[in-house]
Structures are given as C-alpha cells and as structure tokens.
Amino acid sequence: GGSLELRQLLIDVGPKLVVVDWMAPWCGPCRAIGPKIEEMAANYTDVVFLKLDTEATGENKALALDAKIAAFPTFHYYIKSARVAEVIGADVSKIEDAVRQHKPNIVSAATAALGEANPVAAEALVQKVKLALVKLKGSCGSDQDFVTATKTLLSFIGNCVNNPTEAKYRRIRVGNPTFQSRLGSKVGGIDTLKAFGFAELSEGMPSEDYLVLDQVLPEMVHVKNLLEKAVPGGSAAASAPLSSLNGPAAGGMGGLAGMMG
C-alpha cells in the first residue's frame, strides 16, 4: 500500500509502538534477520511489526523515498504517528533495545479493572485449563471442530474478563442448542469452563441447568491472552458477544501451540 495506508495503520494502532522494517528482496542482511524479527514480534505482542518491501510496488518505492531510506534494512519506530527512533542495519540487539526503550507500558482495561495476576495462581490455572483442553481435543472429530469449540470457550471467557462486574456474562444456560453443538455436548467441553471456575447450578420451575462463575479473577486474563495467541482468530473470538447463550431459551445467537506444548 501507499502512504495513506501506512498513515491509517499508524492511527489505527493507537498508543502502541509500530516498528517498520524497510527492506528489499535482494538484501542479504534483510533476509538473514527476517526470522529474528518474526521471533521478536511473537515475544512483544503489544508492539506492531510491519515488514515493508520497498520494491513490491511503486507506492512502496515512493514511501521509501519520502522516508529517506538510504540503506537496508532500516527500522523506523513510531508512536501515535510520530517517528521516535531509527536503527540502520541488521544488529538484533540494537533493534530490540530500541523496542524496549520506546515500548509504552499499556495496561489493558481488564488488568486495570481486576489487578495483576498472581504468577503461581496463573500457572496453576494454565495447567487446569490445559488438562481440560486435552480431554476436549480427544473428543473432537477434527482440528477444525477443536478450534471452533475453543473459540466458543474463548468467547465466554472474553465476555467475563471484559465485563467483570456484569453477572449476565458469568451465566451460561447449558441447554442452549448452540452452546451444546459447539462446546457443551463434547466430552471435556463443560470441563474447560469448570477449569476457569464455572460451577453447575439448577434453578427455576421447571428446573434448568446453568454454568455460573462466581467471580472473575485476574489470572483468567493471563489464560485468555494465551488462548488468543494460540487459536486462529482468537482475538476476535474473545471480543465477540455470545450473550444469548447466557440467558433464557428465547432468541438466537447474537491449533493451540502455547497451551498444548
């Protein structure tokens, strides 16, 4: 894309640090450092890394001229559309030092509301969820079934974490057909929710079964973040509303490397 696309990206990411890797396909150091930059991007999930091939299009060539790129690779660092640093060359330590120096300490809304997770409790929750996911995976007919089931789980956990004071997000009607087809009917499906702290409860006349979470704990944010990274489309799933699965019967519906290794 051209300058308009780059400018829009720098606006869309908000306060995050953006690292633009200006490269050329014939550049040996660019190719050599590529895997290191990908590894860095995986480690710094709150930083946006953008590889820009200066010879891919005429627009990209024009962008490189505007940015006064004179050597490859060159790394430009942006915050709120303003360039805050430049590193020329394939020195991994210098590139990462600049990331550490300029990366804002952005606290998520969930962390701000719930506080910091206890590392020991967070690791214990990871292990409980992991065991439940292993059981769930064994009952799924295909990898895609497993991904769908895990994204459904992630939708519920995301709703809880993003709305920690709203009880309606901590309540799932077990008999809902959509919940049953995607997660509830699978061996281990309900166990994944129980691992997060959901408990079974029967109420009403006639009696109906619900899964209810008493309290949203900060450790849930940590596990949700792991799932978002591991599941294809996980970030979107965690923010997708599934409120109709939580309420009465009327109405419709409004793999895992990090966890399974």
Side-chain angles (χ1 to χ4, degrees):
S3 60
L4 286 176
E5 287 87 348
L6 179 58
R7 278 200 291 267
Q8 190 60 50
L9 170 70
L10 296 176
I11 292 169
D12 289 345
V13 298
K16 289 184 178 181
L17 176 66
V18 178
V19 181
V20 179
D21 172 8
W22 299 89
M23 53 81 66
W26 46 261
C27 166
C30 299
R31 293 195 299 271
I33 202 173
K36 295 290 185 182
I37 301 303
E38 290 176 6
E39 184 179 326
M40 208 177 296
N43 291 335
Y44 294 94
T45 56
D46 53 346
V47 176
V48 177
F49 288 78
L50 173 65
K51 180 184 290 188
L52 205 155
D53 182 346
T54 58
E55 297 194 357
T57 65
E59 290 89 348
N60 285 5
K61 287 182 180 179
L63 273 176
L65 287 173
D66 289 343
K68 297 181 171 57
I69 303 301
F72 296 110
T74 292
F75 295 85
H76 284 170
Y77 299 72
Y78 295 88
I79 295 178
K80 295 182 179 179
S81 301
R83 198 170 88 196
V84 295
E86 177 184 69
V87 173
I88 298 173
D91 188 322
V92 175
S93 61
K94 286 183 179 179
I95 295 163
E96 188 166 13
D97 285 347
V99 170
R100 292 197 190 103
Q101 180 182 347
H102 295 285
K103 180 176 72 71
N105 184 21
I106 301 171
V107 178
S108 72
T111 300
L114 297 170
E116 293 291 338
N118 177 290
V120 175
E123 180 57 29
L125 182 57
V126 166
Q127 294 306 317
K128 286 175 67 176
V129 173
K130 182 175 178 179
L131 285 173
L133 286 171
V134 169
K135 186 175 179 181
L136 173 63
K137 187 173 185 179
S139 72
C140 291
S142 67
D143 287 345
Q144 186 54 53
D145 274 352
F146 180 50
V147 169
T148 298
T150 308
K151 287 171 74 172
T152 303
L153 168 69
L154 186 51
S155 296
F156 287 120
I157 301 307
N159 276 338
C160 292
V161 164
N162 294 332
N163 305 276
T165 62
E166 296 191 42
K168 67 181 181 180
Y169 292 111
R170 294 183 270 113
R171 180 185 177 87
I172 303 165
R173 191 174 66 84
V174 175
N176 182 282
T178 305
F179 170 71
Q180 281 294 317
S181 67
R182 293 187 176 188
L183 183 62
S185 65
K186 301 182 189 308
V187 175
I190 288 178
D191 289 339
T192 60
L193 287 158
K194 287 183 175 180
F196 277 101
F198 280 84
E200 290 180 293
L201 176 70
S202 295
E203 60 181 37
M205 292 293 292
S207 179
E208 278 201 283
D209 293 331
Y210 289 85
L211 287 164
V212 179
L213 179 68
D214 182 55
Q215 182 183 8
V216 180
L217 299 175
E219 289 74 28
M220 292 176 66
V221 180
H222 173 70
V223 181
K224 177 187 80 78
N225 291 341
L226 288 180
L227 283 170
E228 284 184 0
K229 295 175 189 175
V231 180
S235 294
S239 59
L242 282 175
S243 56
S244 61
L245 297 184
N246 303 38
M253 259 190 62
L256 284 170
M259 296 290 292
M260 309 299 285

